[in-house]
Amino acid sequence: TNASLDLAIQAFNNIFNNYLQKVNTNTITFQDQIQKEGMMRYFASLRRIFESSPDMLVACEQILMTHILPELSSSCGILVARAVSILGDFCAFKYSNIEITKACVNECCNKLKHHELPVKLQASFAIARYIRVEPNSFQYLLPHIELILQEFFNLIDVIGNDDVVSSLGSLLD
């Protein structure tokens, strides 16, 4: 029900705001980062429910913009990887401004250059999701095509993951 969804949004905002307060007061701990990553994962798992309720779209976008996307510049690789994963999970999300989608696609491409392998891997998966689900994303990916191909091939060499090979196949189709 909508009342349950409202409560879920409130819970996410409370936990995320508490985390933000700790960041601002420089009292963040690794445990806090793990808790935030878990809540980010939980938020993403409810994506379909939130998207099916038009009343929740604005609240979801607010959480994405305020609490998820800023983690793309986090010093904690776990949070960066989760944020990139969520970009892929929400690739079909109808943001209030198409420029947000463009920025999300660009961030995924930029994260292919990240120094941590899990972030690169999540970026490759997110890019593949954008290609499969969001028809307009290809125009945003085109300026990054050389980087994308280079990093996808590097990932295949380093880990040989079938999902990366599949993602590359999506890109080439």
Side-chain angles (χ1 to χ4, degrees):
T1 67
N2 276 349
S4 299
L5 292 177
D6 285 336
L7 287 174
I9 292 290
Q10 286 176 358
F12 286 121
N13 276 318
N14 287 339
I15 290 169
F16 290 150
N17 284 329
N18 287 339
Y19 177 86
L20 202 56
Q21 186 176 27
K22 288 182 177 186
V23 168
N24 291 337
T25 59
N26 217 12
T27 58
I28 199 78
T29 66
F30 184 68
Q31 188 64 32
D32 295 323
Q33 292 171 324
I34 297 299
Q35 181 185 25
K36 175 147 190 198
E37 189 275 337
M39 288 307 292
M40 291 168 71
R41 179 185 298 209
Y42 183 44
F43 174 76
S45 73
L46 298 175
R47 175 188 52 83
R48 287 190 178 119
I49 295 169
F50 289 141
E51 287 179 338
S52 68
S53 176
D55 297 339
M56 294 291 113
L57 295 179
V58 172
C60 277
E61 183 171 336
Q62 180 187 13
I63 288 175
L64 287 165
M65 300 301 294
T66 306
H67 301 293
I68 307 297
L69 296 180
E71 294 304 333
L72 293 167
S73 59
S74 174
S75 61
C76 177
I78 296 166
L79 293 176
V80 178
R82 179 61 57 205
V84 172
S85 174
I86 291 172
L87 290 183
D89 291 340
F90 280 81
C91 64
F93 189 80
K94 301 302 179 206
Y95 292 99
S96 60
N97 182 338
I98 191 69
E99 290 300 311
I100 298 171
T101 301
K102 181 179 179 180
C104 290
V105 170
N106 285 332
E107 281 294 333
C108 289
C109 293
N110 291 336
K111 294 307 173 209
L112 285 172
K113 298 181 280 187
H114 199 273
H115 63 278
E116 293 195 34
L117 186 59
V119 174
K120 290 181 177 190
L121 192 59
Q122 289 303 323
S124 72
F125 296 154
I127 289 168
R129 281 185 234 133
Y130 272 104
I131 291 168
R132 287 192 298 267
V133 176
E134 177 53 49
N136 294 324
S137 66
F138 193 74
Q139 66 183 333
Y140 309 136
L141 292 167
L142 205 51
H144 306 280
I145 197 70
E146 185 177 333
L147 169 70
I148 293 169
L149 290 173
Q150 178 184 5
E151 290 302 324
F152 272 48
F153 284 121
N154 286 342
L155 284 170
I156 291 169
D157 285 343
V158 170
I159 59 173
N161 185 303
D162 288 342
D163 291 333
V164 177
V165 174
S166 172
S167 297
L168 180 60
S170 296
L171 180 64
L172 296 176
D173 286 343

